[in-house]
Amino acid sequence: MKKLRIAIQKSGRLNEESIKILKDCGISIDNGKDQLKASARNFPMEVFYLRNGDIPQYLKDGVVDIAVIGENILEEKGGNIKVAEKLGFSKCRVSLAVPKSSAYTDIKDLEGKRIATSYPNTLQAYLQDKGVEAELHIINGSVEIAPNIGLADAICDIVSSGSTLFKNNLTEVEVMRQSEAVLAISPEIDEKRNEILDDLRFRIKSVLVARQSKYILMNAPNDKLKDIIKILPGMRSPTVLPLAEEGWSSVHTVVNKDKFWEVINELKQAGAEGILVCPIEKMVL
């Protein structure tokens, strides 16, 4: 029986988040310490633990069928590899940064300057689009120290919180692109494995929608039900059940977590009481 071959980062935050989403999809993985390959017990899948920078080539060559990888790496090394799903975790940005002492005003200030980076293809494309020519120094790791040791005038690197830039006396001046983890597909995937992938994508979508939602229950006086229902977004319409106490109902619905507090405040003002909030494990639409 064919198995879907998925590559994930060997270690680090992206590894942990990748394993978590697979587990949330109900997939149990038999992985021991320092294993490079592991099988799932209850799903036709093999997991390959690889260096992040090597994953695009494995996808191109068809050694693996899919991968959880950052968009930044995929853009830099992936060519035309397609993205099946954006996964919503490991968010960062690819940015240009300069020393805080630099008199930077716009991208044209980098004309003829030295820029250290681990993303030469991404950077070169960005500079060409802006009509800027610069000298690129390709560095693998610790890019942020380059200006301090006189190797470069600026850097291009991924930024999450910005704390690393701060520690190295750098300031972010250009956000080149936003990035997050994605599910990427090999152009060599065959029909049978593509069928397994369809099942996996269905599970992932159910998990991702659930992560963005909250299930809420509340008590509402019947004379205020119409006003309360107008506030609720709901999947289709809220569930309304009569309470044992006459004149009251229980209202159940789903709220997007980004609008959660706004909705809760409106519900309280409209007369809702005893509002309970529950996490959602899966949501099948």
Side-chain angles (χ1 to χ4, degrees):
M1 180 181 180
K2 284 191 174 182
K3 293 184 177 182
L4 187 67
R5 300 165 298 180
I6 181 172
I8 65 174
Q9 189 177 18
K10 188 175 180 181
S11 60
R13 182 181 172 190
L14 191 54
N15 167 277
E16 295 169 3
E17 294 279 9
S18 301
I19 294 295
K20 185 177 188 311
I21 197 168
L22 292 178
K23 288 183 177 179
D24 287 348
C25 288
I27 299 172
S28 301
I29 302 164
D30 290 320
N31 59 308
K33 187 177 180 181
D34 298 327
Q35 273 188 277
L36 298 180
K37 187 172 80 168
S39 296
R41 291 197 299 270
N42 55 352
F43 192 81
M45 172 184 285
E46 287 182 312
V47 181
F48 290 70
Y49 300 96
L50 305 173
R51 288 181 63 252
N52 211 27
D54 294 338
I55 291 176
Q57 193 61 52
Y58 278 74
L59 286 166
K60 290 178 186 177
D61 294 342
V63 177
V64 295
D65 307 303
I66 59 173
V68 177
I69 187 171
E71 285 178 291
N72 54 308
I73 296 294
L74 202 59
E75 179 180 352
E76 178 66 25
K77 298 184 176 183
N80 296 319
I81 294 174
K82 292 182 179 179
V83 171
E85 302 289 343
K86 291 195 173 190
L87 301 176
F89 56 81
S90 292
K91 292 185 178 182
C92 63
R93 52 197 181 272
V94 182
S95 297
L96 284 163
V98 300
K100 290 180 180 178
S101 58
S102 297
Y104 183 92
T105 55
D106 61 36
I107 190 69
K108 296 295 184 181
D109 290 338
L110 295 180
E111 180 72 32
K113 301 292 186 177
R114 301 164 301 164
I115 307 177
T117 186
S118 300
Y119 300 92
N121 296 327
T122 304
L123 175 57
Q124 189 61 53
Y126 184 81
L127 293 176
Q128 286 179 355
D129 181 62
K130 299 295 183 180
V132 173
E133 289 189 14
E135 181 183 338
L136 273 56
H137 288 260
I138 303 173
I139 299 176
N140 293 317
S142 301
V143 174
E144 63 277 356
I145 70 170
N148 291 332
I149 61 176
L151 182 62
D153 304 296
I155 69 164
C156 166
D157 202 7
I158 58 170
V159 179
S160 295
S161 66
S163 61
T164 302
L165 295 182
F166 179 80
K167 290 175 183 176
N168 287 276
N169 206 33
L170 300 172
T171 184
E172 187 176 10
V173 293
E174 299 279 340
V175 177
M176 294 166 51
R177 69 156 297 143
Q178 300 289 339
S179 176
E180 66 182 89
V182 297
L183 187 68
I185 308 175
S186 167
E188 303 298 322
I189 189 171
D190 60 39
E191 185 176 350
K192 182 60 180 176
R193 290 189 172 102
N194 207 36
E195 290 176 4
I196 304 172
L197 174 58
D198 287 342
D199 186 4
L200 177 63
R201 289 181 67 183
F202 171 76
R203 296 189 186 195
I204 288 175
K205 286 178 181 178
S206 299
V207 170
L208 293 179
V209 172
R211 287 182 179 181
Q212 293 299 314
S213 305
K214 297 288 185 182
Y215 188 81
I216 63 173
L217 306 83
M218 72 205 78
N219 296 330
N222 289 344
D223 59 354
K224 296 182 179 179
L225 268 178
K226 286 185 179 180
D227 292 335
I228 289 172
I229 289 173
K230 285 179 183 177
I231 297 168
L232 299 173
M235 295 173 61
R236 183 164 295 174
S237 65
T239 300
V240 180
L241 301 170
L243 291 179
E245 183 178 346
E246 189 175 344
W248 284 79
S249 295
S250 176
V251 182
H252 302 215
T253 194
V254 174
V255 175
N256 187 289
K257 73 174 187 178
D258 292 334
K259 299 179 180 178
F260 173 75
W261 288 112
E262 177 186 337
V263 171
I264 292 297
N265 286 333
E266 290 185 37
L267 290 172
K268 288 177 64 180
Q269 292 173 12
E273 298 180 8
I275 302 172
L276 300 180
V277 183
C278 306
I280 302 173
E281 186 175 315
K282 310 283 188 301
M283 187 182 295
V284 180
L285 300 177

